[in-house]
């Protein structure tokens, strides 16, 4: 029985349509697999970068914490915690070589937040009530932190932007009798102990690394020359 001429006419078209549908299905499957792979890879990259950021933050905290060692040692001397203004000023002056890493100076406050001594001397703030300063208020309360790093503050010499490192000055009965703060200038082109501590960690990777304070001001940019 002879085949239907119409079937002979449509047979190549049907085969071509089947091939095209099969190719379309294969392409759709490949695209779906590729997109799923990209999404999974992106999630893995984000998780990896998050872990790297957390580990780096811990390393940075430990590195910067060492910058407070000289402040803590000085705060524990009787010359500071006994509260005699002349002895306190002499103690800061005598420790100037050790405190030289604080390029914005050092500030001593009493337990009411009043500035008692500075090194080098800053007569513009001597005796001022700075009890509302964040770095002083961080020392108040039952659970005293060992060290506090402030966000960027424009309280340095001549209004310079600084990061303030503060430690408590404790009396013989472990009561808070004052605070001792060291100031690091920001944005300076010269060598800074603050920036040196960051650079030593070699934070740079394939892109730029930024360290941002709690007010979203950039403290460090690895791409800045």
């Amino acid at each position: 029985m002879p085949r239907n001429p119409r079937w002979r006419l449509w047979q190549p078209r049907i085969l071509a349509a089947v091939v095209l549908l099969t190719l379309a299905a294969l392409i759709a499957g490949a695209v779906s697999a590729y997109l799923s792979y990209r999404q999974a890879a992106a999630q893995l990259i984000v998780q990896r970068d998050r872990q790297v950021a957390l580990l780096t933050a811990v390393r940075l905290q430990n590195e910067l914490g060492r910058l407070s060692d000289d402040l803590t040692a000085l705060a524990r001397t009787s010359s500071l915690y006994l509260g005699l203004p002349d002895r306190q000023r002499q103690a800061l002056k005598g420790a100037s070589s050790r405190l030289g890493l604080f390029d914005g100076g050092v500030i001593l406050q009493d337990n009411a937040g009043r500035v008692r001594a500075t090194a080098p001397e800053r007569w513009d703030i001597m005796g001022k009530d700075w009890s509302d300063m964040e770095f002083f208020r961080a020392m108040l309360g039952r659970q005293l932190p060992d060290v506090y790093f402030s966000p960027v503050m424009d309280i340095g010499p001549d209004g310079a932007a600084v990061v303030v490192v503060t430690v408590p000055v404790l009396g013989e009965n472990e009561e808070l009798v004052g605070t001792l703060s060291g100031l690091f200038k920001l944005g300076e082109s010269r060598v800074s102990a603050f920036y040196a501590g960051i650079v030593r960690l070699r934070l740079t990777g394939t892109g730029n690394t930024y360290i941002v304070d709690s007010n979203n001001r950039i403290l460090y940019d690895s791409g800045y020359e």
Side-chain angles (χ1 to χ4, degrees):
M1 182 178 180
R3 292 186 178 182
N4 191 331
R6 291 185 176 179
W7 169 251
R8 291 181 178 178
L9 180 63
W10 282 99
Q11 188 176 21
R13 298 180 182 181
I14 292 173
L15 290 175
V18 171
V19 171
L20 289 175
L21 288 175
T22 303
L23 288 175
L26 291 174
I27 292 173
V31 170
S32 177
Y34 175 70
L35 293 177
S36 298
Y37 167 77
R38 284 195 60 183
Q39 183 178 6
Q43 290 176 349
L44 288 175
I45 291 173
V46 170
Q47 292 176 1
R48 181 204 64 187
D49 289 348
R50 183 180 291 114
Q51 290 299 321
V52 170
L54 289 173
L55 292 173
T56 301
V58 172
R59 291 173 57 207
L60 179 62
Q61 183 181 23
N62 293 335
E63 180 66 28
L64 295 182
R66 296 189 183 97
L67 298 177
S68 67
D69 289 347
D70 288 326
L71 280 179
T72 300
L74 181 58
R76 292 175 178 173
T77 62
S78 59
S79 298
L80 253 66
Y81 68 71
L82 288 180
L84 301 175
D86 290 339
R87 291 186 62 183
Q88 289 173 336
R89 285 194 289 270
Q90 288 299 321
L92 290 187
K93 186 176 180 180
S96 58
S97 59
R98 286 186 296 155
L99 301 178
L101 73 162
F102 299 104
D103 50 6
V106 177
I107 298 173
L108 175 68
Q109 294 172 261
D110 62 20
N111 58 0
R114 195 169 298 279
V115 178
R116 297 290 297 270
T118 60
E121 292 181 342
R122 289 180 57 186
W123 297 109
D124 57 319
I125 64 172
M126 194 70 69
K128 282 192 173 182
D129 181 0
W130 273 15
S131 59
D132 60 338
M133 292 292 180
E134 183 175 345
F135 54 86
F136 175 79
R137 289 186 282 115
M139 293 291 126
L140 301 178
R142 295 181 180 179
Q143 300 297 327
L144 293 174
D146 294 330
V147 58
Y148 174 79
F149 281 81
S150 78
V152 179
M153 305 184 73
D154 301 317
I155 61 169
D158 300 321
V162 295
V163 167
V164 183
V165 186
T166 303
V167 299
V169 179
L170 303 178
E172 294 178 347
N173 297 318
E174 296 298 310
E175 75 280 11
L176 182 70
V177 297
T179 62
L180 187 63
S181 301
L183 282 59
F184 288 110
K185 289 183 180 180
L186 299 180
E188 296 291 336
S189 59
R190 53 193 171 83
V191 176
S192 165
F194 179 77
Y195 287 123
I198 297 174
V199 171
R200 274 197 298 270
L201 297 178
R202 298 181 180 179
L203 304 180
T204 55
T206 56
N208 284 354
T209 299
Y210 300 94
I211 298 177
V212 185
D213 73 1
S214 58
N215 295 325
N216 296 323
R217 295 180 68 174
I218 295 178
L219 304 179
Y220 172 78
D221 172 10
S222 62
Y224 181 72
E225 297 179 354

